Amino acid sequence: MNTMGDGTRAVRAGLPEPKQYEPTLPGPVFAAHYHLSGEPTGPYTYGRDTNPTWTHLERAIGELEAPGENVETTVFASGMAAISAVLLSQVRAGDVVVLPDDGYQALPLVRAQLEEYGVEVRTAPTGGDAQLAVLEGARLLWIETPSNPGLDVCDVRRLVEAAHAGGTLVAVDNTLATPLGQRPLELGADFSVASDTKGMTGHGDILLGHVTCRDPELAAGVRRWRKVVGAIPGPMEAWLAHRSLATLELRIERQCANALMLAETLAKHPEVSGLRYPGLPTDASYPSAVRQMRRFGSVVSFVLADRGTAERFLSALRLADDATSFGGVRTTAERRGRWGGDAVPEGFIRFSVGAENAADLVADVERALAEAVTGN
């Protein structure tokens, strides 16, 4: 049923048919091997290949990524495992790959590895659909929208149309939006990829990633890569992830509403510059975001005067942990320049809005800003 609401789908996704006296969501299966006599033709043969707990989770994520459609999802031990699986299973020496130059901090590491393998890597910014200019002859286009941490948005449909016209595959990193904010496969992408460490599971206690695609051949390549490198999730992590999906809409709705309220507050603050939130009507990305996104995510970014001001602000917050990552129910914030890999000012703050009461968060931020600016 693809007419169900997001909340209903999230609560029910991936559950097996009800069986008398058995739990709604079966517990994790901790098995390295299975009873296997005769020819190995059954669904479960060895723990690195398949696991019933993965199966339930993969079906659940597939139902969220493309309701009512026949898609295949493969879960991984982390978001980077999922990213690497797509790139390294689909390209060969001599191929061209197009990456964003303002994407996730680990992408330069991926670029270096691809180049060592003889792959030509081209980069361009996310904003303004700039990747179009370097697309010719590429085997794979990698899109990250909204970008992390700059929150630029590109027109996925436009990029997909141009890419497919030239025989180029398209993968979209959908980590920040989640399937409840944006569905890349509906926008024409070949792969929807995410770090489920973030908003999908939402509690900051699981490392996980996934890849979803329609094409069985492409999916088989991704799944084969997982088997070859052994980048498999633990059964407990997979089970916890499936359990966490039930509250996905509740969490995302609250976090997105909070993020918009915070962005509206920060927009009025004289000490804040460079404010970005795709759901803010005054944001440069809003016209593109509103055409392809149903929710705009939990991350707000902005710039304070300098490193010292940013660090005083973070220290003064009481309802936000100074921590990396994003998408959790507990608010986190960090000065991204401390990592050295993002082209951002020293006072750049990535603020991941949690599920606390919005009024409390806004009051905490306003107080921390006042303390940071005055130095008291």
Side-chain angles (χ1 to χ4, degrees), residues 47 61 132 140 182 189 193 240 326 332 346 349 352:
I61 293 173
L132 285 172
L140 177 69
Q182 178 175 264
V193 189
L240 286 170
F326 58 85
T332 60
E346 284 292 312
I349 301 290
S352 174

Side-chain angles (χ1 to χ4, degrees), residues 66-188:
E69 295 190 45
N70 185 24
V71 297
E72 184 171 339
T73 295
T74 305
V75 291
F76 289 86
S78 69
M80 279 307 300
I83 290 170
S84 300
V86 173
L87 287 163
L88 297 175
S89 70
Q90 302 301 321
V91 303
R92 304 289 182 270
D95 285 343
V96 174
V97 170
V98 176
L99 301 178
D101 65 11
D102 55 348
Y104 179 52
Q105 189 186 47
L107 279 181
L109 300 176
V110 176
R111 174 179 183 170
Q113 190 63 62
L114 289 168
E115 289 175 337
E116 283 190 21
Y117 288 156
V119 176
E120 179 187 342
V121 180
R122 303 171 188 161
T123 63
T126 299
D129 301 338
Q131 289 173 298
L132 285 172
V134 294
L135 192 57
E136 186 176 354
R139 164 67 179 168
L140 177 69
L141 166 65
W142 189 272
I143 296 171
E144 185 178 306
T145 182
S147 61
N148 170 32
L151 302 182
D152 269 321
V153 172
C154 60
D155 186 333
V156 176
R157 291 186 184 90
R158 182 186 182 201
L159 285 165
V160 166
E161 182 178 354
H164 285 174
T168 302
L169 296 171
V170 181
V172 176
D173 185 333
N174 200 41
T175 300
L176 199 144
T178 82
L180 268 62
Q182 178 175 264
R183 293 194 178 114
L185 299 185
E186 290 184 356
L187 300 173

Side-chain angles (χ1 to χ4, degrees), residues 284-333:
S285 288
Y286 182 80
S288 293
V290 77
R291 288 195 299 269
Q292 65 192 26
M293 300 181 73
R294 295 176 298 130
R295 298 174 177 87
F296 302 102
S298 61
V299 178
V300 178
S301 66
F302 56 96
V303 180
L304 298 180
D306 49 36
R307 174 175 179 168
T309 305
E311 291 180 346
R312 289 194 299 273
F313 167 71
L314 292 169
S315 296
L317 290 168
R318 295 171 185 163
L319 296 180
D321 297 326
D322 192 343
T324 196
S325 199
F326 58 85
V329 291
R330 288 175 288 277
T331 294
T332 60

Side-chain angles (χ1 to χ4, degrees), residues 207-292:
L207 289 175
L208 204 78
H210 80 265
V211 178
T212 302
C213 52
R214 288 193 183 93
D215 188 313
E217 186 175 344
L218 295 178
V222 169
R223 194 168 289 266
R224 183 170 57 250
W225 183 263
R226 181 180 69 178
K227 177 178 179 177
V228 169
V229 301
I232 59 174
M236 191 66 192
E237 286 78 3
W239 184 85
L240 286 170
H242 197 166
R243 182 205 61 174
S244 298
L245 288 182
T247 60
L248 180 59
E249 189 203 38
L250 296 173
R251 292 185 279 106
I252 295 298
E253 283 283 336
R254 179 66 167 262
Q255 289 170 259
C256 290
N258 284 357
L260 179 58
M261 184 174 291
L262 177 63
E264 291 170 341
T265 299
L266 291 170
K268 303 171 187 175
H269 199 287
E271 303 298 329
V272 170
S273 63
L275 174 67
R276 298 302 306 270
Y277 182 65
L280 198 63
T282 54
D283 189 272
S285 288
Y286 182 80
S288 293
V290 77
R291 288 195 299 269
Q292 65 192 26

